[in-house]
Amino acid sequence: MDIFNCPSCNSLFVMTKFRDVCDACYKEEEAKYDKVYAYIRKKINRTASMMQVVKDTGVEEILIIKFVKTGKLRISQFPNLGIPCEKCGTQIKSGRLCDNCGDSLRADLQAFEDEERRLTDNLGNDKKNTYYMKDNQEG
């Protein structure tokens, strides 16, 4: 059992895998969730953008993003809601990175692995050459 300070109000609480804020803040978040959900459930608001939802409900964008990331709000039902890519901020429907940032990260990782493989191969060749030269000097 781990005790933490609530990131919203700084009071002590026991963190669980289901709650990352204290009971009082959790109840406040739930009330804000109900407000957002009631707003976007209305047919006229289903295509609202994130900024429209924030403006019309008064609920912070970061909290709405939390609702999306935790699965409380399903973006598939609300096509203009999205979450920001963690690298560039572009609106995405799922995951943590947009396609461009994901591709860039994969390319960087591949380049790193290729360079590491090249260095390892060169080190192996240097050892072989050292043994070869040593054998020729003795013979």
Side-chain angles (χ1 to χ4, degrees):
M1 185 165 31
D2 295 324
I3 297 178
F4 290 90
N5 289 83
C6 176
S8 297
C9 70
N10 211 30
S11 66
L12 291 176
F13 77 105
V14 177
M15 185 180 284
T16 68
K17 62 182 177 180
F18 303 108
R19 288 205 187 152
D20 60 352
V21 293
C22 69
D23 285 341
C25 291
Y26 178 77
K27 288 176 184 171
E28 188 178 319
E29 281 186 6
E30 286 300 300
K32 289 179 179 182
Y33 167 76
D34 291 341
K35 189 175 189 178
V36 168
Y37 190 71
Y39 174 82
I40 59 177
R41 253 186 71 208
K42 292 180 183 173
K43 190 173 186 174
I44 194 168
N45 297 329
R46 286 191 185 147
T47 58
S49 68
M50 180 69 77
M51 289 302 111
Q52 285 175 297
V53 175
V54 169
K55 181 179 167 232
D56 293 347
T57 63
V59 176
E60 306 85 17
E61 181 179 6
I62 193 87
L63 193 53
I64 298 171
I65 291 169
K66 180 180 176 181
F67 296 151
V68 172
K69 285 184 174 182
T70 59
K72 288 180 98 171
L73 288 178
R74 292 192 187 102
I75 294 179
S76 60
Q77 296 172 334
F78 311 106
N80 291 333
L81 282 185
I83 54 177
C85 167
E86 291 184 8
K87 186 173 180 188
C88 71
T90 300
Q91 290 293 312
I92 56 176
K93 297 293 181 188
S94 64
R96 298 175 70 171
L97 298 174
C98 66
D99 290 340
N100 289 339
C101 291
D103 291 345
S104 174
L105 185 61
R106 277 187 285 282
D108 290 347
L109 183 58
Q110 186 62 51
F112 174 78
E113 288 173 348
D114 291 347
E115 181 66 14
E116 193 174 63
R117 195 174 304 112
R118 187 186 67 76
L119 290 173
T120 303
D121 289 348
N122 284 344
L123 182 61
N125 288 338
D126 287 346
K127 284 183 180 180
K128 288 177 188 174
N129 289 339
T130 303
Y131 292 130
Y132 178 75
M133 289 170 49
K134 201 175 194 182
D135 287 344
N136 283 341
Q137 288 173 354
E138 292 174 4

